[in-house]
Amino acid sequence: MKLTFYGHSAFALEIAGQRILIDPFLTGNPVNTTPADQVQADFIVVSHGHADHVGDTIEIARRTNALVISNHEICLWLQKQGVARTHDMHLGGSHQFPFGTLKLTVAHHGSVLPDGTYGGNPAGLLFRTAEGNVYHAGDTALFSDMSLIGAVGLKAAILPVGDNYTMGPEDSLAAIRLLQPQIAIPCHYSTFPLIDQDIEQWSQQVRQHTNARPLVMAPGSTIEI
Ligand code: NI
Ligand code: MN
């Protein structure tokens, strides 16, 4: 599978010829280099309602006719904003899509939408595919049930490490030990001064204190995993 990073928590996964955008905060994202109107998508997955995750979902969905997957409350809100195709799910639920199975997992965070509408509970995203399993934690604190998520066997875990709003570097090391992924990819850091982190130091600590390989992606880069 191919993985593209746009900075913050925004990624694109390409699995089985399907392009899945995750938390596409592109416009107004200080570290992103890709204009929102140049992004293609078959699916858009939104972890929670905060503006730095909903991002350009509405505009990209209208232009590409992508199917937007999120929790029930966010899907209702997106339909009111003119998004035609949504698939609503909720925590603990899985569904089979053309790219594989997506499960919405627990995240400890908030989820209010940009206009103040209630956004339901925030989620993490567990993709189980023929090309490997990937967990995008969304915005969350550390929680010990991450070991249950990791039990499926993870090729990659994408974890927030910026601190202040989410786990910081130290808790992310504990998360990696619970999740046991082959690859740990940091996100939600150094987008704004408040969440600045020394990511090289984080990488060294991951190598020293976990069994995972740290993989730091530059915004705009694509890798094969
Ligand atoms: Ni958030
Ligand atoms: Mn966030």
Side-chain angles (χ1 to χ4, degrees):
M1 68 179 77
K2 272 190 199 156
L3 182 67
T4 301
F5 184 44
Y6 297 107
H8 206 55
S9 291
F11 288 84
L13 267 175
E14 207 177 306
I15 303 170
Q18 305 288 318
R19 193 168 170 88
I20 307 142
L21 270 184
I22 302 168
D23 288 356
F25 169 49
L26 305 178
T27 305
N29 175 345
V31 297
N32 170 50
T33 57
T34 307
D37 62 6
Q38 289 178 19
V39 171
Q40 296 305 322
D42 300 296
F43 300 88
I44 304 171
V45 187
V46 181
S47 68
H48 65 288
H50 292 161
D52 58 321
H53 297 259
V54 173
D56 298 289
T57 295
I58 295 164
E59 292 75 16
I60 296 171
R62 281 182 182 152
R63 176 172 53 80
T64 63
N65 203 32
L67 179 69
V68 184
I69 306 165
S70 193
N71 73 22
H72 176 66
E73 291 84 353
I74 291 171
C75 285
L76 278 181
W77 181 81
L78 287 169
Q79 285 175 4
K80 285 182 187 152
Q81 317 304 313
V83 173
R85 299 181 63 234
T86 62
H87 180 108
D88 69 330
M89 302 179 65
H90 236 301
L91 300 188
S94 299
H95 185 77
Q96 177 103 41
F97 294 95
F99 54 79
T101 299
L102 172 64
K103 182 189 241 184
L104 295 193
T105 59
V106 166
H108 292 286
H109 192 65
S111 183
V112 72
L113 285 151
D115 65 0
T117 302
Y118 173 64
N121 287 312
L125 314 169
L126 178 59
F127 296 89
R128 299 178 73 174
T129 85
E131 298 176 28
N133 303 325
V134 175
Y135 170 57
H136 183 301
D139 281 2
T140 187
L142 173 66
F143 54 96
S144 60
D145 283 359
M146 283 179 171
S147 61
L148 299 175
I149 295 168
V152 300
L154 297 174
K155 179 182 266 187
I158 300 170
L159 301 171
V161 304
D163 222 340
N164 192 76
Y165 299 111
T166 66
M167 286 189 283
E170 191 181 342
D171 281 353
S172 79
L173 297 180
I176 293 165
R177 287 193 292 266
L178 292 166
L179 291 161
Q180 295 289 326
Q182 293 170 31
I183 304 168
I185 300 169
C187 70
H188 214 278
Y189 71 93
S190 300
T191 321
F192 314 105
L194 190 55
I195 56 173
D196 272 349
Q197 294 297 337
D198 181 339
I199 210 65
E200 256 320 298
Q201 191 183 317
W202 175 85
S203 290
Q204 284 172 20
Q205 289 174 342
V206 171
R207 279 187 218 103
Q208 272 170 26
H209 302 296
T210 80
N211 296 319
R213 176 165 66 90
L215 177 58
V216 174
M217 295 182 70
S221 66
T222 299
I223 51 149
E224 190 97 31
I225 59 168

